[in-house]
Amino acid sequence: MLLEIKNLHAIIKSNGKEILKGIDLSINAGEVHAIMGPNGSGKSTLSSVLAGNPSYEVTEGEVIFNGKNLLELSPEDRSHEGLFLSFQYPVEIPGVSMSNFMRAAINEHRKYKGLEPLSASDFLKLMREKQEYVELNNKLAGRSVNEGFSGGEKKRNEIFQMAMLEPKLSILDETDSGLDIDALRIVAGGVNKLKSSENASIVITHYQRLLDYIVPDFVHVLYKGKIVKSAGKELALELEKKGYDWIKKELGE
Amino acid sequence: MDNIVDKVTNEDYKYGFTTDIETEVIPKGLNEDIIRLISKKKNEPEWLLEFRLEAFRHWQTLTVPTWPHLSIPEIDFQDIYYYAAPKAEVEGSENKEIDPELLKTFDKLGIPLHEQKALAGMAVDAVMDSVSVKTTQQEALAELGIIFCSIGEAVQNYPELVRKYLGSVVSHTDNFYAALNSAVFSDGTFVYIPKGVRCPMELSTYFRINAKGSGQFERTLIVVDDDSYVSYLEGCSAPMRDENQLHAAIVELVAMEHSEIKYSTVQNWYPGDKDGKGGIYNFVTKRALCKGNGSKVSWTQVETGSAITWKYPSCVLLGDNSVGEFYSVAVTNNYQQADTGTKMIHIGKNTHSHIVSKGISAGHSQNSYRGLVKVVENASNARNYSQCDSLLLGDKCGAHTFPYMEVRNETAIVEHEATTSKISEDQVFYCNQRGIKTEDAIALIVGGYAKEVISKLPMEFAVEAKNLLSISLEGSVG
Ligand SMILES: Nc1ncnc2c1ncn2[C@@H]1O[C@H](COP(=O)(O)OP(=O)(O)OP(=O)(O)O)[C@@H](O)[C@H]1O
Ligand SMILES: [Mg+2]
């Protein structure tokens, strides 16, 4: 198993509020899991906690990733181990060019694996090759990290970074939001090209349209910090039609 | 940020070693006899002794300035050696052979002084304590009529030029430390670029303080004649000591018609330890006179060292259409203090000035920008744009901005923008998520923040400056 989450509870450090209230989830290599759920239910918090964001504290439960205790690893080592988060709100870093940023990232990953840093020319070749996955304009790669990027460009840039780092598990947090119809197809195409029997993804989304392109093996509904329903891809279609009320009803609310 | 700031460790100051070399010092203290002695040691003409004495008499009437946003412990000016000369040459050697210890010292600092090992495209004047040890590439430059030598040598060989310009931009009456420097100044660099010459290499001076208990009072004078160009760079360092040492310099630049001077500084004086003990007091007056029409002066500084920095490299824009620029990154960490900025004085017509100041504060440090933009009555169509950004790492440090404007001509356009930001936890986490550890993330983010200034440095030094930035912030974030 690639990822196993058992009874995960997490709070917001600044105010002590519990957001994740006992999550259980198992993911095998080769699978795509969609997570849906109303606004504020804890989807981004789950991704943040898995990636090791220091704003949250795990109070209970365990997470095994690739045979390792994920919660004991630093955020950068989680990345080195192959966990990638496509942020719902990618961060701008003024003055730091995408190529400098990616070069630092790639070389840290290589160092972790005991490899020499990439030469400048090999690195540029890799950049050019991976940009094509998401049809990212070469000019964007010369600009500062996400600075002044449009919403859609930021999302494409996340998938470009994913292509560069070739993660084992990618968590795509609303990567479809802000994308126009063509961009959605391009980004989804990029994700599909990166898919293999060795890796897996968690796709967080509100809409079926992304799942038309990236077809999930499982769909989970996260509600009030818990996974309250899991099924096959047909669940997403049902949610699209009926919303969440029927699930709340099932829960006796 | 709180949870990642605060693990303050002792940072590495790579240049903190001492050179063991025989050094001639004159008695501590300051009086007319000492000044006569310094002047005699340097075999100076009468007019220069008078220049010094006049400055000294004026200095005695002054008190230490208190307006900077700095807390400066009282300095005992009678407890300083005003002249310390390492015996640079091997005794009895025929062609002024330099002591191998000194060569080794400058090698260690990355400044090879052997002509054959000299850095390509660069000439160096190496100054230790009060004297210039060696100036490289002089002959190649002389072929173009360029004078590049220590100011002491210039006084001997080009007395008319020195007399004409010395004190013409920064008078001894300018301020307390300018008066002090004018009275006791030791070596520094003299540059003269004749008409119509584009200096083909970087000229640079490396200042090193070595002797204990001494101060360094360097004096630099650069005159660039009509239609000429020079790019000049200064670097510096000092041993790690518990005592504070005073560095009070004057730099004067004169730019004639359509000439251009690029003056870059990478300031890395010993900053003191993590508790604020020791370090250099860097009290410097730097000013450029854009004398000719269409002349241009750019000051670029990367300030990472010194316990206390007090300097305002300025431009007097006298010639019509002259341009003044100031690009600065000032980093303070631990208990360092910096009060730095610029003055742009618009006097000619259609003069432009551009100011970019980037302050970075960490630890318990205090970092102030202080700038004056002045447009006199007749200076029509003056333009100024100032941007002052402060970046805070942690919450125990301070950043302050004191922009002053005095505009007497209504055609002037003067703009000022200021921002204060913190490195956000989100930025650091974003880097972490991509596999970059926090320390490298901070260096990356700070490098990006300072990029606009660093990119103005000569290429070879941009890399060094970037490294210095991250080294000086080492330990400020855990
Ligand atoms: N750092 C934080 N500080 C304060 N509140 C937070 C923080 N992070 C999350 N929350 C709160 O926790 C709850 C869950 O937020 P989260 O972002 O995980 O929701 P989500 O399911 O991703 O929602 P959406 O569909 O709108 O993206 C929300 O009420 C949110 O306001
Ligand atoms: Mg979310």
Side-chain angles (χ1 to χ4, degrees):
Chain A
M1 200 167 293
L2 185 60
L3 180 79
E4 186 161 26
I5 305 175
K6 285 189 206 150
N7 190 30
L8 184 66
H9 289 250
I11 60 168
I12 301 167
K13 262 189 201 161
S14 61
N15 62 14
K17 197 174 150 202
E18 184 171 67
I19 305 295
L20 302 185
K21 300 174 179 165
I23 304 259
D24 291 281
L25 183 64
S26 299
I27 296 180
N28 290 303
E31 294 176 352
V32 174
H33 290 243
I35 297 183
M36 304 182 79
N39 294 130
S41 57
K43 303 181 297 294
S44 293
T45 302
L46 175 62
S47 359
S48 295
V49 167
L50 292 176
N53 187 324
S55 304
Y56 305 90
E57 190 184 321
V58 172
T59 49
E60 225 186 305
E62 71 172 341
V63 182
I64 306 297
F65 176 55
N66 216 11
K68 291 206 164 98
N69 181 350
L70 185 78
L71 302 177
E72 269 179 1
L73 299 176
S74 66
E76 56 271 26
D77 280 348
R78 296 181 196 199
S79 167
H80 300 147
E81 283 289 333
L83 187 132
F84 181 89
L85 171 58
S86 167
F87 285 73
Q88 182 173 4
Y89 305 107
V91 179
E92 301 190 0
I93 311 178
V96 177
S97 70
M98 264 315 290
S99 46
N100 265 352
F101 178 72
M102 267 339 279
R103 190 142 181 219
I106 286 274
N107 284 336
E108 285 304 314
H109 277 251
R110 290 177 64 89
K111 196 156 111 195
Y112 191 77
K113 294 191 188 106
L115 299 171
E116 291 292 305
L118 269 189
S119 73
S121 64
D122 284 347
F123 173 74
L124 287 176
K125 227 168 80 190
L126 187 68
M127 286 270 285
R128 247 177 272 129
E129 184 192 318
K130 302 295 182 174
Q131 276 165 23
E132 283 171 17
Y133 275 74
V134 283
E135 299 177 25
L136 190 73
N137 191 320
N138 199 18
K139 279 194 204 107
L140 283 184
R143 277 167 49 182
S144 298
V145 179
N146 293 322
E147 195 187 26
F149 284 30
S150 74
E153 285 166 347
K154 282 182 183 168
K155 294 304 175 73
R156 259 195 229 205
N157 192 26
E158 294 291 288
I159 302 306
F160 160 65
Q161 294 176 50
M162 172 180 154
M164 289 291 283
L165 296 172
E166 298 183 329
K168 290 203 187 77
L169 176 69
S170 3
I171 305 169
L172 311 182
D173 191 356
E174 295 199 27
T175 300
D176 54 336
S177 71
L179 292 179
D180 64 40
I181 297 154
D182 292 332
L184 180 71
R185 194 173 32 78
I186 291 164
V187 163
V191 172
N192 285 332
K193 261 183 258 172
L194 293 165
K195 206 178 145 186
S196 80
S197 58
E198 310 285 300
N199 60 29
S201 13
I202 297 175
V203 179
I204 295 170
T205 183
H206 286 294
Y207 303 106
Q208 171 60 34
R209 57 173 192 209
L210 178 67
L211 304 178
D212 288 341
Y213 293 103
I214 306 174
V215 182
D217 301 296
F218 300 93
V219 177
H220 310 277
V221 176
L222 187 65
Y223 180 60
K224 291 189 174 166
K226 278 187 182 167
I227 289 179
V228 294
K229 199 168 187 70
S230 297
K233 64 176 185 234
E234 65 288 347
L235 177 57
L237 288 166
E238 196 172 354
L239 289 170
E240 178 98 337
K241 242 184 271 151
K242 304 204 277 187
Y244 292 105
D245 278 353
W246 63 278
I247 291 187
K248 292 180 192 172
K249 237 175 247 147
E250 273 186 16
L251 292 170
E253 285 193 3
Chain B
M1 202 68 189
D2 288 1
N3 48 341
I4 50 176
V5 177
D6 232 37
K7 201 193 88 201
V8 181
T9 60
N10 209 347
E11 81 214 30
D12 258 351
Y13 184 73
K14 267 206 314 207
Y15 310 100
F17 63 91
T18 313
T19 308
D20 197 6
I21 190 157
E22 198 182 333
T23 299
E24 180 197 0
V25 291
I26 62 170
K28 270 188 180 173
L30 187 53
N31 53 51
E32 292 205 1
D33 286 343
I34 291 281
I35 289 169
R36 284 175 206 281
L37 187 58
I38 293 173
S39 189
K40 189 154 167 251
K41 290 238 166 266
K42 299 172 93 62
N43 189 31
E44 287 175 352
E46 190 60 28
W47 65 264
L48 192 49
L49 175 62
E50 276 312 312
F51 177 99
R52 289 177 181 278
L53 289 172
E54 197 187 333
F56 176 65
R57 287 169 197 143
H58 179 69
W59 178 74
Q60 285 178 303
T61 68
L62 302 175
T63 50
V64 181
T66 53
W67 49 263
H69 192 88
L70 301 170
S71 79
I72 306 173
E74 200 172 323
I75 299 169
D76 182 354
F77 290 96
Q78 296 304 337
D79 193 34
I80 295 173
Y81 295 111
Y82 286 89
Y83 185 83
K87 288 232 167 72
E89 284 154 24
V90 177
E91 233 160 298
S93 71
E94 262 176 35
N95 36 10
K96 297 189 166 187
E97 201 180 310
I98 297 176
D99 189 304
E101 259 323 291
L102 280 181
L103 291 180
K104 250 188 1 213
T105 299
F106 282 96
D107 264 351
K108 240 166 129 174
L109 298 169
I111 317 288
L113 297 179
H114 285 292
E115 292 286 354
Q116 62 270 35
K117 275 202 255 164
L119 303 169
M122 189 163 122
V124 184
D125 183 17
V127 177
M128 187 187 272
D129 296 326
S130 305
V131 296
S132 164
V133 173
K134 163 121 187 148
T135 312
T136 66
Q137 308 267 22
Q138 276 181 308
E139 280 152 36
L141 291 166
E143 279 172 27
L144 297 165
I146 295 172
I147 304 171
F148 176 56
C149 62
S150 74
I151 199 123
E153 210 179 317
V155 168
Q156 302 304 321
N157 299 337
Y158 315 96
E160 341 62 50
L161 267 178
V162 176
R163 190 170 185 179
K164 184 167 171 193
Y165 291 107
L166 191 75
S168 71
V169 185
V170 179
S171 132
H172 69 263
T173 57
D174 193 83
N175 66 71
F176 182 87
Y177 292 104
L180 179 65
N181 175 288
S182 300
V184 303
F185 72 86
S186 40
D187 251 339
T189 303
F190 177 74
V191 175
Y192 175 77
I193 314 281
K195 282 188 180 149
V197 173
R198 197 181 161 85
C199 184
M201 57 182 102
E202 300 284 335
L203 303 186
S204 74
T205 308
Y206 195 90
F207 294 100
R208 174 79 180 165
I209 292 179
N210 187 54
K212 208 167 153 45
S214 68
Q216 194 178 53
F217 303 92
E218 115 235 2
R219 185 106 193 180
T220 290
L221 174 60
I222 299 178
V223 180
V224 176
D225 221 323
D226 300 350
D227 305 304
S228 295
Y229 166 87
V230 71
S231 170
Y232 173 91
L233 185 120
E234 62 168 355
C236 53
S237 62
M240 286 161 86
R241 293 213 173 94
D242 284 351
E243 63 173 8
N244 293 107
Q245 285 183 281
L246 180 61
H247 170 87
I250 291 183
V251 174
E252 296 177 281
L253 312 183
V254 182
M256 309 301 254
E257 294 226 338
H258 302 289
S259 68
E260 181 176 352
I261 304 177
K262 273 185 76 165
Y263 190 106
S264 313
T265 304
V266 176
Q267 191 266 103
N268 187 26
W269 293 116
Y270 178 52
D273 71 8
K274 68 178 192 334
D275 302 314
K277 203 163 166 56
I280 302 294
Y281 294 158
N282 188 35
F283 302 154
V284 173
T285 308
K286 290 183 168 177
R287 193 170 307 149
L289 178 62
C290 287
K291 198 169 180 182
N293 294 337
S295 56
K296 177 175 175 183
V297 169
S298 315
W299 297 101
T300 304
Q301 58 174 28
V302 174
E303 304 276 323
T304 60
S306 297
I308 305 178
T309 294
W310 180 92
K311 68 181 266 204
Y312 314 91
S314 304
C315 296
V316 178
L317 303 170
L318 186 63
D320 292 346
N321 304 306
S322 58
V323 177
E325 296 176 332
F326 174 75
Y327 301 101
S328 169
V329 175
V331 182
T332 53
N333 194 3
N334 298 322
Y335 286 88
Q336 280 178 283
Q337 307 176 61
D339 193 300
T340 183
T342 184
K343 287 192 266 185
M344 294 290 176
I345 317 291
H346 294 255
I347 299 172
K349 296 184 179 23
N350 310 315
T351 50
H352 287 205
S353 63
H354 189 66
I355 298 171
V356 177
S357 163
K358 305 260 177 185
I360 302 168
S361 345
H364 294 80
S365 69
Q366 293 294 328
N367 201 328
S368 304
Y369 168 81
R370 186 183 303 278
L372 169 68
V373 176
K374 184 171 174 172
V375 178
V376 306
E377 223 164 295
N378 292 324
S380 47
N381 301 316
R383 276 293 264 126
N384 160 267
Y385 177 73
S386 305
Q387 179 170 346
C388 302
D389 299 329
S390 310
L391 184 69
L392 297 165
L393 277 73
D395 51 12
K396 293 182 189 70
C397 50
H400 318 271
T401 308
F402 305 99
Y404 303 94
M405 282 177 219
E406 265 180 63
V407 179
R408 296 271 152 73
N409 184 300
E410 60 185 21
T411 62
I413 304 175
V414 175
E415 291 169 276
H416 178 90
E417 274 182 50
T419 66
T420 299
S421 48
K422 286 192 162 201
I423 290 184
S424 76
E425 228 168 67
D426 288 347
Q427 286 173 324
V428 174
F429 179 65
Y430 191 77
C431 294
N432 289 159
Q433 209 303 303
R434 299 310 187 236
I436 302 166
K437 59 177 188 288
T438 298
E439 203 171 285
D440 297 341
I442 300 280
L444 205 61
I445 295 164
V446 166
Y449 168 80
K451 184 158 126 188
E452 193 180 348
V453 174
I454 304 264
S455 68
K456 301 286 174 188
L457 286 174
M459 250 255 281
E460 307 84 314
F461 299 98
V463 178
E464 190 198 327
K466 247 182 142 161
N467 289 339
L468 261 184
L469 280 188
S470 47
I471 290 169
S472 14
L473 290 170
E474 226 159 68
S476 64
V477 180

